[in-house]
Structure formats: structure tokens, C-alpha cells
Amino acid sequence: MTKVVSVDEIEEVCNIIECNGVVAFPTETVYGVGVKFGSKIALDKLMEAKNRDYSKAITLMVADEKDIEKYAYVNENAQKLIDHFMPGMITLVLKKKSILSDDFTAGYDTIGIRIPDDPFVLKLLKEVGPMLVTSANISGQETLLNDQEVYKQFKGKIKIIVKGKCKNTLASTVIKVDEDVTILRQGCIQEEEIREVLK
């Protein structure tokens, strides 16, 4: 059974996450669905709920800039983007550190990391620690922007949905940062803004 709760019921949401459950919540971009980071059981549940291919990596959401360097290498360009855009509507794909199991990066040597600019989600991350979060939609379907849409797609598949409505119709901008800086997905933040920061 899937329960819909308010943002005030954060303790219940945290309990579900700690018990390897899947939760959905609004972010400053689109609705997200996520699980506790580091649990293969939780990741499997997330993949099953979304009907998602294991070859597709899932973003790591963290609450603090210091957490990024625990999991990935941050070069000068990455630091500029972090300083300017985080927390915010940007996901950086960085070379991962060996601390990260391939299970959580779909076998890639990179990891996508984001610090959301949403008070509830940041509070949640501070309570439960880093989470693997992706857009709340069945793979291949449109992104979802409110709890009613999420309930229709995920009823019976996930434990809890936090009520809310997203203000943006676009997901985060995804940028791969290694020797070069490559925009993998254009989202809320435009390429011109990114190039300006990197000058």
C-alpha cells in the first residue's frame, strides 16, 4: 500500500528510507523517487518500481558540498560549477572514488552528484544521509510534477509519496566534468550560464 503524507511527516519518511523503502518527493526541478544510498536491497526496489534498466546510473543526492569529495574527484572546473550553482538545478558527473561500489554506479567509473535547492529534500538528506534519486516516473514515461500524477503511476509500487507540486517542468542540467566539460542533458540551467562561469 502506498501512503501520501505531508512535508511535516518527515520522521515517517525517514523511517521508510532507513528500512530500505522507496519514497517520492517534490524537488525544485521535477518529482523525485529515491532510496537510501549504500543499500543494494533498496536500489533493487527502486529499479523494480521504475522498471528501469540496470545499465542506467542513478544520481547521488547529498546535502553538503563536503560530501561530494567523499565520493568523487573534484577538479578546478567542477569546483567552479559547485561554487556557483550548488545547491541548485545541476548534476555534475565526476570521476568516482574507489570507495564507491560499481553496484551503485551501473558499472561506470563516474557518478552523477547533485545538491538540491529544496528545504524539505535538504532536511531529509541531513536526516538519512546521501540518497540515490531519479525522476519519479516509470522509465520512458513523461516526468511527473505533482503527487497525484506520482500516485497514479506508483500506487502499490512504493511505500510513501510526499505531497507537493514542482515549479519546474525541466529536470536538472547534467554536466560531465573531466578534462573537458560536456553538457549531457540541457535542463533548467543554460549552456551560456555554464560557459560564463568556466571562463
Side-chain angles (χ1 to χ4, degrees):
M1 181 166 156
T2 302
K3 190 173 180 182
V4 181
V5 301
S6 76
V7 291
D8 298 327
E9 296 169 88
I10 191 165
E11 197 173 318
E12 188 172 356
V13 180
C14 290
N15 287 339
I16 296 291
I17 294 166
E18 294 290 4
C19 294
N20 296 320
V22 184
V23 302
F25 45 83
T27 76
E28 83 277 29
T29 58
V30 297
Y31 241 87
V33 63
V35 295
K36 179 181 180 177
F37 172 66
S39 167
K40 183 69 167 60
I41 293 166
L43 177 60
D44 287 343
K45 288 179 184 175
L46 177 59
M47 293 305 225
E48 185 180 352
K50 269 190 63 96
N51 192 26
R52 188 177 171 101
D53 190 322
Y54 271 88
S55 67
K56 292 180 180 175
I58 291 183
T59 297
L60 180 65
M61 253 189 203
V62 297
D64 194 282
E65 183 189 321
K66 292 192 294 289
D67 294 327
I68 296 173
E69 293 201 54
K70 287 182 191 171
Y71 304 107
Y73 294 98
V74 176
N75 65 17
E76 188 183 347
N77 279 333
Q79 192 61 56
K80 283 181 184 175
L81 295 170
I82 290 165
D83 291 343
H84 191 84
F85 292 112
M86 289 189 173
M89 298 178 278
I90 195 166
T91 300
L92 297 184
V93 178
L94 306 169
K95 185 168 174 55
K96 73 174 186 180
K97 291 189 173 175
S98 57
I99 187 175
L100 275 176
S101 161
D102 285 351
D103 288 342
F104 302 109
T105 60
Y108 293 104
D109 66 352
T110 54
I111 178 88
I113 301 184
R114 173 161 128 74
I115 304 175
D117 190 13
D118 178 276
F120 173 79
V121 186
L122 282 171
K123 191 175 176 186
L124 191 62
L125 292 166
K126 282 169 185 165
E127 292 281 336
V128 300
M131 292 179 66
L132 290 172
V133 180
T134 182
S135 55
N137 59 328
I138 304 299
S139 282
Q141 303 288 319
E142 291 288 313
T143 51
L144 307 177
L145 302 175
N146 62 61
D147 53 271
Q148 294 100 324
E149 291 174 352
V150 176
Y151 188 78
K152 278 182 194 167
Q153 278 200 20
F154 285 94
K155 181 184 176 185
K157 294 182 178 183
I158 67 175
K159 286 283 187 185
I160 215 162
I161 297 167
V162 179
K163 280 182 194 167
K165 187 175 182 182
C166 299
K167 299 174 188 70
N168 279 295
T169 55
L170 289 174
S172 65
T173 297
V174 181
I175 304 171
K176 186 175 184 182
V177 186
D178 41 32
E179 292 78 26
D180 298 314
V181 174
T182 312
I183 296 171
L184 302 179
R185 180 180 74 196
Q186 182 67 69
C188 298
I189 296 169
Q190 299 301 307
E191 183 173 358
E192 301 80 57
E193 296 175 76
I194 293 155
R195 299 295 172 199
E196 188 63 33
V197 169
L198 294 173
K199 271 183 182 174

